[in-house]
Every structure is written in C-alpha cells, then in structure tokens.
Amino acid sequence: MMNYLKSELYRLSRKKSMYLFLSLCLLVPLMMTIMTLSANSENYTNTQFVFRFAQNAWSILIFITPIMVSLIQMDDFSDGTFKNMISFGLSRKTIFISKWLLSVLFLIVAGLLTYLTLTISVFTLLPNTGSGSYASFNASMLGVLPLVLAAVTVSHCICFLSGKIMMHALVYIFLMVLLPEFYYMYANIEPVLIAFVNKVPLFPFAALNDKLWQQQNGYLLCWALGLVYMFAAFLLSYRQVEVKEFK
C-alpha cells in the first residue's frame, strides 16, 4: 500500500487541478478579508465579524467535499488507470483505502492552508476586537472535523463505486443535503419526530447548520455522528468494492 500511496502522491503533485483547488483555498479567505476591510464599518470591519461569519459558514464544506474527492478519483476512471493497476495484482481494497487516505490527507492540507490564510490576513488587516470569537472559531473545528470526515467518506465511497462524476454528485447531494431537508420538512408536522431529531442528530449537514457542538455534550454527539456515518459508508461499500469491475 505504501508504494501505491507514494505513486499516487507523486501523480497528484503533477495535476494542475489540485494546485488550482489549493490556490482557491488561499485566495477565498484572503478576498473575504479584503472585502470586509472595504466595508469600512465599525460593525463589520473587525476580526470578530469575520470569525463569526466563518463559523456560520461551516456547512459549505458539505458542498466542497465532493469536488475535492472527484479531483482525486475521477481521472483514474476516465483514463482506465484502475483497470491497469488491478491487472498488475493490486487489490481493490488497497486502492479503495488508499484513495480514502489521500482524500483525508488532501482535506487536511487544504484546511490548513485556508485556516492559516484566514487567520494571518484577518489579524494583519483588520482591527482586533478581542480573542473571544477567534477562540470560539477554533473550538468549533473540533466539532466540525468528524462531520466533514463523514462527508469525505460518504463521497469517497459513492465516487469509487459509481465511477461517474454526475452519478456521484447526484447521489451525494441526495443523501447529504436533500434527505435531511425532506426529513425536517416532514418532521415539522410530526411532533414526535422533531422532538427526537432535536435530541439525537441524524445528519452531518443539519449538525453543521445547527452548530451541534454548542449544545450539551455537543462534541461527543458530533464525533458519534461522524463515526457512525464513516462506519456505515465503509460497511455498505465493503462487498461492492470486492466485486467492482473497472472498465
């Protein structure tokens, strides 16, 4: 597996799309800071506003995740790379797990770049209104991390098994975004369901929107929900990975 991971890291390091994605991780927070600075308002042009806004925008990661996973996997399907690797004796499980590890690694790298750019630009360009909002933003990441890892795992499994970018996107959006919305629409007319979901989180997207980590035992609930999604995604994909045919 280590040799395959090394070869994949080398291959990814030569992909222009990966550098474009990482460039956006640098430019987006920088542009957000500059736009905040241009507002020239005491209520908005400060560190507190930016970190609160960033904390309220965590759910956007649910939509960015499938793009990132697709950048890592889809070329292998279109180029027939997977088929060649299997013909040389590499197991499907090795490819499957390695691709997931690459997605997690890329998530960490992209996340660090975004975090450092945002933090440095905000404290350099904007008036500092205290460390409270910055500390809250940092604390929220402990609850966000398992939810995003769950999204990465679900996206990875769907992408690997479907092998088609459109199918991957449709299934992922249905499971991670539309299904929670449909559930809450129905739960609003069923008091028992809404009472249940308020106590027991069911969806990472809803947990991010509702800032689940701020509730009582919130961090524990975030990690429990994230681990359940990761375990379920791997469990449901296990047999399909063994019989997956690559064309």
Side-chain angles (χ1 to χ4, degrees):
M1 181 182 290
M2 288 304 300
N3 289 333
Y4 175 66
L5 281 172
K6 290 178 182 178
S7 66
E8 283 296 290
L9 285 172
Y10 175 76
R11 187 179 64 84
L12 290 177
S13 69
R14 302 179 68 85
K15 288 182 65 174
K16 294 181 180 179
S17 58
M18 307 303 286
Y19 289 103
L20 175 60
F21 188 92
L22 293 176
S23 298
L24 290 175
C25 292
L26 292 170
L27 291 174
V28 169
L30 180 59
M31 292 303 299
M32 185 175 73
T33 305
I34 293 174
M35 290 175 64
T36 304
L37 180 64
S38 65
N40 196 24
S41 169
E42 293 184 0
N43 294 327
Y44 302 108
T45 311
N46 53 63
T47 59
Q48 182 181 36
F49 171 79
V50 175
F51 287 121
R52 284 186 176 180
F53 177 83
Q55 191 174 168
N56 290 331
W58 279 125
S59 58
I60 197 174
L61 293 177
I62 293 292
F63 299 95
I64 296 174
T65 294
I67 300 174
M68 182 192 71
V69 172
S70 294
L71 289 176
I72 294 174
Q73 289 197 28
M74 280 305 171
D75 282 354
D76 290 319
F77 286 104
S78 60
D79 297 341
T81 309
F82 283 151
K83 184 178 180 179
N84 294 332
M85 288 187 293
I86 291 175
S87 66
F88 284 121
L90 200 62
S91 70
R92 290 174 173 82
K93 286 183 180 178
T94 297
I95 300 173
F96 181 71
I97 295 173
S98 297
K99 285 293 185 181
W100 177 76
L101 290 173
L102 286 172
S103 296
V104 173
L105 177 61
F106 190 66
L107 170 69
I108 294 172
V109 172
L112 283 175
L113 283 176
T114 305
Y115 174 80
L116 290 174
T117 304
L118 179 66
T119 302
I120 293 172
S121 63
V122 165
F123 282 117
T124 302
L125 299 176
L126 299 178
N128 190 347
T129 48
S131 61
S133 58
Y134 180 58
S136 178
F137 173 70
N138 287 332
S140 71
M141 290 191 288
L142 182 61
V144 170
L145 178 60
L147 302 175
V148 178
L149 286 175
V152 168
T153 305
V154 171
S155 178
H156 163 72
C157 292
I158 296 171
C159 187
F160 190 88
L161 295 176
S162 67
K164 297 180 180 179
I165 189 168
M166 185 58 68
M167 181 62 68
H168 163 229
L170 291 175
V171 175
Y172 175 87
I173 292 297
F174 175 78
L175 291 177
M176 300 299 289
V177 179
L178 296 181
L179 188 59
E181 294 298 324
F182 290 148
Y183 179 88
Y184 279 101
M185 287 174 59
Y186 182 71
N188 283 329
I189 60 176
E190 293 289 341
V192 175
L193 290 179
I194 199 66
F196 173 77
V197 80
N198 285 336
K199 294 181 179 179
V200 182
L202 296 177
F203 308 102
F205 183 58
L208 288 169
N209 277 330
D210 297 339
K211 300 179 183 177
L212 180 62
W213 55 88
Q214 293 183 350
Q215 300 180 16
Q216 185 177 7
N217 299 319
Y219 291 110
L220 179 61
L221 291 172
C222 285
W223 278 96
L225 179 61
L227 291 174
V228 166
Y229 264 76
M230 293 170 66
F231 178 78
F234 280 126
L235 183 64
L236 293 173
S237 304
Y238 179 79
R239 291 188 180 276
Q240 285 77 9
V241 169
E242 285 296 313
V243 298
K244 170 71 176 178
E245 292 186 10
F246 298 104
K247 301 179 179 179

